[in-house]
Amino acid sequence: MKNRIKLEHQAYIFISIAIVCWGLSSTFVELGLNSMHSVPFLFYRFAISMIILTPLILIKKRRHVAILFKNKFVWFIGIFEGLGLILQYFGQELQVPAGLATLLTLTYAIMVPFFSWVLLKQKLQLFHLIAVITSLLGIFLIISGGNLTFLSNGSFSLIGIIILISSAVFFGLYITYTSYIQKLKNDNLDLISLFYVVLVIVTLFSIAIMIIVGEYVIPSQETWIWLISLVIFSTIIAFYMYFMSMKTLSANQVSLLLLLQIIIPFVIDIFLFNRNYNLWVLIGSFILFISVFLSTLVSNRTHGNKIE
């Protein structure tokens, strides 16, 4: 019992680190994309991460990596993550306001409980669905600032909206299958190796898309600063912490907790860039935080975070 509680506490620490690091990614991407398009930026992000980890893999993890490359579920994880990221970037470039694009992408939190129900045979919990919907309401207030003018744009791209919803579907499948493979209790499932294989698959995806769109760019000196920051904090650290947390937490819990990353850029804006936001943003942040906190508390008390 004590060991399980300790594992749960560690898992929450891991996912908290991932939330902060992924929350920082929007700031790094915003600053990095000032001199580079999104597709090559995505390629450099994952290719550099892969290169950094390759020496470690060659020295200590070759056997594990070779085994994981033969596992179809690992390929599912990598493919779903790659498709989610690429479609997210494409959708944001097709006349969909940034706020609406973010909201559509985050709807993966609604999809994960249903994917878990169908694929992992986990029961749908009413309190979790209520928490997700309430959290998305909080996110809507954060993004809109109480002003609905960004929804009154008649030039919305229907294709862009469909692409962003498709991105959310793949992110949801990525989280669900990550939970599935972590619960297999396979002795050959090494986390660093799993992370590395996913990096390789996403890198291959981004290379293919970069070739298709014909975008080849060498990063500027300033862009390298934000790329390296993105690689270290929002890729290597964030993804590894995410995989560590999924050893204990369920897909439903993680999908809800990850919504908190939307708050991080606003905190940075307020304390580092002295940007002011209205009361609606603060109310939305409070609603989001309380929804996630109460849902996590109820989940712990009613189910004890059972590992299936």
Side-chain angles (χ1 to χ4, degrees), residues 80-94:
F80 292 146
E81 171 70 355
L83 286 172
L85 287 168
I86 289 170
L87 291 176
Q88 180 185 11
Y89 281 176
F90 281 168
Q92 288 176 331
E93 294 176 351
L94 293 176

Side-chain angles (χ1 to χ4, degrees), residues 62-77:
R62 285 178 296 176
R63 184 179 67 85
H64 292 289
V65 167
I67 293 173
L68 288 175
F69 268 120
K70 299 176 182 179
N71 189 317
K72 65 179 180 180
F73 295 110
V74 174
W75 279 91
F76 286 160
I77 292 172

Side-chain angles (χ1 to χ4, degrees), residues 238-295:
F239 276 89
Y240 184 68
M241 291 295 105
Y242 162 76
F243 283 125
M244 288 292 291
S245 70
M246 291 294 277
K247 292 175 63 177
T248 304
L249 302 179
S250 70
N252 292 350
Q253 289 174 298
V254 170
S255 67
L256 185 60
L257 288 166
L258 287 178
L259 294 178
L260 292 173
Q261 64 186 285
I262 194 70
I263 297 177
I264 305 301
F266 289 92
V267 174
I268 293 173
D269 284 348
I270 292 172
F271 290 100
L272 292 184
F273 299 115
N274 295 319
R275 294 175 181 170
N276 295 319
Y277 292 98
N278 62 29
L279 182 61
W280 288 108
V281 173
L282 298 178
I283 293 175
S285 301
F286 179 77
I287 291 174
L288 172 59
F289 181 81
I290 291 299
S291 298
V292 173
F293 175 77
L294 292 179
S295 176

Side-chain angles (χ1 to χ4, degrees), residues 227-238:
L227 262 174
I228 297 302
S229 298
L230 189 67
V231 165
I232 294 174
F233 294 103
S234 304
T235 307
I236 293 178
I237 294 177

Side-chain angles (χ1 to χ4, degrees), residues 22 41-49 227 230-231 234-235 239:
W22 271 330
F41 193 82
L42 177 67
F43 161 72
Y44 281 113
R45 172 186 180 180
F46 285 92
I48 294 171
S49 302
L227 262 174
L230 189 67
V231 165
S234 304
T235 307
F239 276 89

Side-chain angles (χ1 to χ4, degrees), residues 145-291:
N147 188 345
L148 303 184
T149 54
F150 80 99
L151 292 176
S152 62
N153 186 348
S155 62
F156 280 1
S157 168
L158 179 60
I159 295 177
I161 291 175
I162 293 173
I163 288 176
L164 286 166
I165 293 175
S166 301
S167 171
V169 170
F170 287 118
F171 282 139
L173 289 169
Y174 165 69
I175 292 174
T176 304
Y177 273 100
T178 301
S179 176
Y180 174 78
I181 199 169
Q182 295 276 33
K183 304 303 186 290
L184 289 179
K185 301 186 183 302
N186 188 336
D187 293 336
N188 293 315
L189 183 60
D190 175 78
L191 285 176
I192 294 179
S193 302
L194 174 61
F195 174 37
Y196 181 79
V197 172
V198 172
L199 282 178
V200 172
I201 295 172
V202 177
T203 301
L204 293 174
F205 256 92
S206 57
I207 290 174
I209 298 301
M210 192 167 60
I211 292 173
I212 291 172
V213 300
E215 293 183 352
Y216 310 99
V217 181
I218 301 298
S220 65
Q221 184 175 357
E222 180 182 356
T223 303
W224 275 115
I225 296 174
W226 305 118
L227 262 174
I228 297 302
S229 298
L230 189 67
V231 165
I232 294 174
F233 294 103
S234 304
T235 307
I236 293 178
I237 294 177
F239 276 89
Y240 184 68
M241 291 295 105
Y242 162 76
F243 283 125
M244 288 292 291
S245 70
M246 291 294 277
K247 292 175 63 177
T248 304
L249 302 179
S250 70
N252 292 350
Q253 289 174 298
V254 170
S255 67
L256 185 60
L257 288 166
L258 287 178
L259 294 178
L260 292 173
Q261 64 186 285
I262 194 70
I263 297 177
I264 305 301
F266 289 92
V267 174
I268 293 173
D269 284 348
I270 292 172
F271 290 100
L272 292 184
F273 299 115
N274 295 319
R275 294 175 181 170
N276 295 319
Y277 292 98
N278 62 29
L279 182 61
W280 288 108
V281 173
L282 298 178
I283 293 175
S285 301
F286 179 77
I287 291 174
L288 172 59
F289 181 81
I290 291 299
S291 298

Side-chain angles (χ1 to χ4, degrees), residues 95-104 136-157 161:
Q95 292 184 332
V96 179
L100 180 59
T102 302
L103 189 62
L104 290 173
L136 289 176
L137 172 62
I139 290 173
F140 177 80
L141 292 176
I142 294 171
I143 293 171
S144 66
N147 188 345
L148 303 184
T149 54
F150 80 99
L151 292 176
S152 62
N153 186 348
S155 62
F156 280 1
S157 168
I161 291 175

